[in-house]
Amino acid sequence: MSSKRLKNPVLIEQKKLAWVFVAPWIIGFLGFSLYPILSSFYYSFTEYNLFKPGRWVGLQNYNELLHSALFYKALYNTVFYAVIGVGLQLLIGLSTALMLNMKVRGQAIYRTLVFLPSVMPPLATSLLWLWLLNPKYGIINHFLNFLHLPEPLWLVSAAWTKPALILMSLWGVGTTTIIYLASLSDVPEMYYEAMDMDGAGSWDKFRHITLPIISPVTFFQLISGIIAAFSIFTPAFVLTTGQTTVGGPSNSLLFYSVYIYQQGFQFLKFGYASALAWVLLIIVMLITYVVYRTSKSWMHYGGR
């Protein structure tokens, strides 16, 4: 039976046609994904400057980064942004989704306005915030002055650069909000009705029904946010353009991806940059594993 199917000319033609359609993806994956990944792993053990063949140095690049103060500075900046920034994005995204889930007049307009900033290109958003955060001419400091509040130096002061970038990240919280909004629409109304019969308040319904049911979405957004935070590049690079160093004042905006760019494309230390990239991969994998293991205590699936 199987030999007849193999000799069937129609099936053979269908398989050939399938390979024709799949071939572009396979070629793209091999050429633009797998080959660069394997190459970077090899170059992480070499001294390579793009113009000469790589010289094998073993673990020297990994040993060098472990003794580099800039490596720990970049790691600290990235972890700071990931913990504070992702936490605020989830909190504000969920709060906004709860408000947009209310049945009020003009609901579609409010949802559009919240999501609209998320579709702006990162470069355009960065240039916009470069003006908004200007200590002299920025509208944010004008607003703070109107309220008689202190006016931070934002991107000029090392103490305010990371809060400025976190504030900027909240501009694109619309995507998080929309995903939460979709999950809130899947919460069965009968659960709320049952809680109403028991005399439960809004906070009890949110804590015992809403949060557990949308916890898989929170897990997804947490993992996605952490990965995005550890790969942040465009805002930090654009906001420090024109300054003496890419990392901003006192390297306070030297994030991990910026550090990789600096070592690779400014100093032409591609072997060292490859080692940094592989360490970043291991760090993200470890954090994802820890979050996954701890999620079993707070994430709930239907029927469990």
Side-chain angles (χ1 to χ4, degrees), residues 103-124:
K103 296 177 181 178
V104 296
R105 194 173 182 181
Q107 187 185 58
I109 297 174
Y110 300 138
R111 291 180 178 183
T112 304
L113 291 175
V114 169
F115 184 67
L116 205 55
S118 304
V119 301
M120 288 182 64
L123 179 60

Side-chain angles (χ1 to χ4, degrees), residues 270-302:
F270 284 95
Y272 184 69
S274 298
L276 285 170
W278 276 93
V279 170
L280 174 64
L281 175 66
I282 294 170
I283 291 172
V284 172
M285 288 177 66
L286 284 175
I287 292 175
T288 303
Y289 176 74
V290 170
V291 173
Y292 173 75
R293 295 290 297 179
T294 57
S295 68
K296 294 180 179 179
S297 62
W298 56 268
M299 188 168 64
H300 302 270
Y301 289 103

Side-chain angles (χ1 to χ4, degrees), residues 244-286:
T244 53
T245 57
V246 176
S250 303
N251 286 315
S252 57
L253 284 181
L254 184 68
F255 290 100
Y256 204 97
S257 297
V258 177
Y259 185 46
I260 293 175
Y261 166 82
Q262 186 185 59
Q263 296 298 316
F265 293 96
Q266 286 193 316
F267 303 149
L268 298 180
K269 296 173 64 176
F270 284 95
Y272 184 69
S274 298
L276 285 170
W278 276 93
V279 170
L280 174 64
L281 175 66
I282 294 170
I283 291 172
V284 172
M285 288 177 66
L286 284 175

Side-chain angles (χ1 to χ4, degrees), residues 9-27:
V10 176
L11 286 177
I12 293 174
E13 288 300 318
Q14 288 180 343
K15 287 182 179 178
K16 289 181 179 177
L17 189 62
W19 277 109
V20 169
F21 282 109
V22 173
W25 182 87
I26 294 177
I27 294 171

Side-chain angles (χ1 to χ4, degrees), residues 145-220:
N145 180 48
F146 175 76
L147 297 176
H148 302 288
L149 293 174
E151 302 170 40
L153 294 176
W154 299 118
L155 301 174
V156 182
S157 166
W160 283 97
T161 48
K162 283 189 282 294
L165 209 68
I166 291 171
L167 179 65
M168 177 182 162
S169 72
L170 301 179
W171 171 264
V173 80
T175 304
T176 305
T177 301
I178 293 300
I179 295 174
Y180 266 131
L181 199 55
S183 68
L184 288 174
S185 63
D186 289 335
V187 181
E189 282 292 332
M190 61 181 181
Y191 292 159
Y192 293 128
E193 293 170 359
M195 291 287 283
D196 286 334
M197 294 177 66
D198 291 338
S202 299
W203 172 247
D204 289 327
K205 286 190 283 187
F206 174 74
R207 190 160 61 98
H208 295 295
I209 296 177
T210 307
L211 272 184
I213 291 179
I214 67 171
S215 58
V217 175
T218 302
F219 174 74
F220 165 75

